[in-house]
Amino acid sequence: MTSPSSASPEDTGATGPGKAPPLRPMAMPAIPPLKGAPLVLGTLALSLATFMNVLDSSIANVAIPAISGDVGVSPSQGTWVITSFGVANAISVPLTGWLTQRFGAVRLFTMSVLLFVLTSWLCGFAHSLEMLVFFRVLQGLVAGPMIPLSQTLLLASYPPAMAGVALSLWGVTTLVAPVVGPLLGGWITDNISWPWIFYINVPVGLLSAVMTWSLYRSRETPTRKLPIDTVGLSLLVLWVAALQLMLDKGKELDWFASNEIIAFAVIAVVAFAVFVVWELTDAHPVVDLRLFKRRNFAAGSISLSIAYGLFFGNVVLLPLWLQQWMGYTSTSAGLALAPVGILAIILTPIVGRKVAVWDPRKMATAAFMVFALVLWMRSKFTVETDFGHILIPTLIQGGAMAFFFIPLTTITLSGLTPDRIPAAAGLSNFVRITAGAMGTSIATTLWENRASMHHAHLTELLVQGQGTFAITVKQLQAAGMSAEQAYAQINRLIDQQAFTRAADDIFLASSFLFLSLIVLIWFTKRPAPQAGGGADAAAGAH
């Protein structure tokens, strides 16, 4: 990273004449690394919490149809279970630094894990969509500090020379969870019931919390009382919540034909405008928007966030299509998603070592080209596509994931002084996670709209009692169906074609968007090659 002595005023976070300087992180006391059994157990405890957190963001994807059916809503409304967690999690991530200095890293991490256990149990206990979404919001809020603090505590457990090993172990945990999530979620949904995808967090979380507190309570970080930007935080919650509600409810309320949607849009725009002005003028902003003055941070975080929104939207869309229109069970849909982690697990350690040597812009370009290829392959899916052909693009996608997060994070954080990296990582993760939640809402909304259009096109030449339509009705009646049953069966077949073509449209559009994002990557400067760059990038990549 750039040395403080050579940093420009922009790098050092100077706020201009007459303004208070930003808070600096407290100096960390020299704590000896762990050894032997405590090191192994500490790594296990922190990895369990990380695994549980990452697992929870993917395990619900294949359970959405089952959850929707149980609480009496459509699958598109059921996606609120995913988006509500993502938005709440994004809001809480920038607060991690302030909360850590206020309560201490060990205490905050343990409290976050225990509260995550409690909210997980409440999610399983929920018997309506409103209750479930409310508890998922709480779960997302308390989950924010878990992943960054697990990195912090894990790095403090190992000697500096083994930082790369520590981050590799941590990285494998975050990559295995997305593989296990769909498989485990599908099996639980099919063989037990969907609440157990949340209940399984209880024993895992309790074990992690007990082990962490036992091993790390004597290694607590120093604390101090700090001011918090309550106005900025309130505005942040207001505009993000209003925007997400507008995206989630828009398709139900016919968008801007609804006064409710117009109200959400006005609140989101006004609150966002005031938020930007406030954060740029406040001495201790909840998020440091001045970071966007830096070309690498702006282009890197924007390309990473848009790409993640596209990626996550398609990750949610695929199992919905498979289960609703292709006859897949939750388990088989999970099997179709699981291979995405195989190449990611194999290639990520290589990327982590080479990102400081190779040009990360070329690595990210290769990732976006592979994502575009994968989505183009999916755009060729039909109602006749078999499991093997669905599996191939998913397997290839794992390679793109390996070359996606770490290089783009390296670009985003390059050139920053060490004291600004936590704020930059928090802000880029906030934007990325928010984009993921919004990508889900946009993808499912466009899917339904395109399906309605395709349904209209497929039926415009069908005339009741004439031609192919009449022949098909007679054949179905001859097979024992009533006229109403025959009409319903034909409509189901037309819907299957319409929703499949709509999914293909989303996949194809996403493919072209990935290619267009390559241009944005090349607006950045190449980070200076340096030892340890891969570790820094890995630390901020999740």
Side-chain angles (χ1 to χ4, degrees):
M1 298 299 172
T2 307
S3 64
S5 59
S6 61
S8 66
E10 177 189 335
D11 292 329
T12 57
T15 56
K19 294 187 179 180
L23 288 169
R24 305 297 186 191
M26 295 184 68
M28 294 293 292
I31 301 177
L34 295 174
K35 295 180 181 179
L39 178 61
V40 174
L41 293 174
T43 303
L44 176 62
L46 298 171
S47 298
L48 280 175
T50 303
F51 180 84
M52 177 179 66
N53 188 313
V54 178
L55 181 77
D56 227 58
S57 64
S58 63
I59 196 171
N61 290 359
V62 295
I64 292 301
I67 294 172
S68 303
D70 271 9
V71 299
V73 298
S74 67
S76 62
Q77 290 175 303
T79 58
W80 295 0
V81 174
I82 298 170
T83 59
S84 58
F85 177 86
V87 168
N89 188 241
I91 290 171
S92 66
V93 165
L95 295 176
T96 301
W98 181 85
L99 290 169
T100 300
Q101 295 195 65
R102 181 67 180 84
F103 298 103
V106 179
R107 191 175 292 108
L108 177 60
F109 179 81
T110 306
M111 286 192 300
S112 294
V113 172
L114 291 174
L115 288 171
F116 192 86
V117 167
L118 174 61
T119 51
S120 296
W121 180 82
L122 291 172
C123 286
F125 181 73
H127 53 73
S128 69
L129 181 65
E130 292 78 13
M131 284 182 64
L132 181 54
V133 169
F134 176 71
F135 292 139
R136 282 285 278 177
V137 168
L138 294 180
Q139 189 185 38
L141 288 173
V142 302
M146 287 172 60
I147 288 182
L149 286 182
S150 69
Q151 289 179 329
T152 301
L153 295 174
L154 189 65
L155 286 171
S157 303
Y158 283 77
M162 294 185 68
V165 174
L167 287 171
S168 296
L169 292 171
W170 185 91
V172 168
T173 303
T174 63
L175 290 170
V176 170
V179 178
V180 175
L183 286 173
L184 186 60
W187 185 88
I188 289 173
T189 302
D190 285 339
N191 294 280
I192 309 176
S193 62
W194 67 262
W196 282 91
I197 67 175
F198 300 111
Y199 290 150
I200 60 170
N201 289 335
V202 175
V204 176
L206 289 176
L207 178 62
S208 172
V210 170
M211 290 174 65
T212 301
W213 185 249
S214 300
L215 292 165
Y216 288 93
R217 62 184 174 185
S218 60
R219 302 166 64 87
E220 185 61 278
T221 59
T223 61
R224 58 175 173 171
K225 290 186 178 181
L226 297 171
I228 184 168
D229 179 15
T230 52
V231 174
L233 178 60
S234 301
L235 291 167
L236 174 68
V237 172
L238 184 61
W239 77 259
V240 171
L243 180 58
Q244 189 62 46
L245 283 169
M246 184 188 79
L247 293 173
D248 280 341
K249 295 180 72 68
K251 52 182 174 283
E252 300 171 36
L253 302 177
D254 196 21
W255 292 101
F256 293 102
S258 164
N259 290 332
E260 189 176 340
I261 295 301
I262 293 173
F264 283 139
V266 170
I267 292 170
V269 171
V270 172
F272 176 73
V274 177
F275 169 77
V276 170
V277 173
W278 181 271
E279 293 300 283
L280 290 175
T281 55
D282 190 68
H284 306 296
V286 68
V287 290
D288 186 3
L289 296 181
R290 297 180 189 88
L291 287 162
F292 282 105
K293 292 180 181 178
R294 301 186 56 84
R295 188 168 76 185
N296 271 28
F297 181 86
S301 59
I302 291 170
S303 58
L304 175 61
S305 301
I306 295 174
Y308 186 75
L310 290 169
F311 163 74
F312 201 73
N314 283 284
V315 164
V316 173
L317 181 61
L318 183 61
L320 283 175
W321 171 67
L322 290 174
Q323 291 179 80
Q324 287 181 249
W325 302 108
M326 296 294 286
Y328 280 55
T329 63
S330 297
T331 303
S332 55
L335 285 169
L337 293 175
V340 74
I342 295 174
L343 286 178
I345 292 170
I346 295 170
L347 295 175
T348 294
I350 299 172
V351 174
R353 288 195 299 270
K354 294 296 184 180
V355 73
V357 180
W358 298 343
D359 188 343
R361 297 174 301 175
K362 293 181 180 179
M363 298 168 79
T365 298
F368 283 7
M369 292 176 70
V370 174
F371 272 127
L373 171 65
V374 166
L375 289 161
W376 177 81
M377 293 171 69
R378 285 179 177 162
S379 73
K380 303 298 180 183
F381 286 170
T382 69
V383 295
E384 304 295 329
T385 302
D386 59 27
F387 181 78
H389 284 86
I390 289 170
L391 213 59
I392 292 170
T394 305
L395 182 64
I396 296 172
Q397 185 172 274
M401 288 176 63
F403 283 83
F404 172 40
F405 285 106
I406 294 177
L408 278 175
T409 304
T410 301
I411 292 169
T412 302
L413 302 183
S414 64
L416 292 168
T417 51
D419 63 300
R420 298 197 78 191
I421 288 177
L427 178 55
S428 64
N429 275 299
F430 160 72
V431 178
R432 176 180 64 83
I433 297 169
T434 302
M438 293 179 179
T440 300
S441 298
I442 294 169
T444 53
T445 298
L446 289 176
W447 186 43
E448 291 194 356
N449 290 345
R450 297 292 295 180
S452 297
M453 184 201 72
H454 284 298
H455 188 281
H457 289 169
L458 289 167
T459 56
E460 61 186 7
L461 298 178
L462 297 180
V463 181
Q464 189 169 347
Q466 297 180 22
T468 304
F469 185 76
I471 294 170
T472 305
V473 171
K474 287 180 181 178
Q475 289 175 341
L476 291 172
Q477 286 180 311
M481 291 186 182
S482 65
E484 290 76 14
Q485 289 173 327
Y487 294 148
Q489 177 65 15
I490 292 170
N491 190 66
R492 170 74 184 180
L493 292 172
I494 293 171
D495 274 344
Q496 184 186 34
Q497 290 285 351
F499 276 92
T500 300
R501 291 186 182 186
D504 290 346
D505 292 345
I506 304 299
F507 295 145
L508 186 60
S510 299
S511 176
F512 283 118
L513 284 171
F514 265 112
L515 290 177
S516 67
L517 285 175
I518 292 173
V519 177
L520 189 58
I521 293 172
W522 289 92
F523 275 102
T524 64
K525 298 178 182 178
R526 179 180 178 176
Q530 56 187 8
D536 289 340
H542 299 276

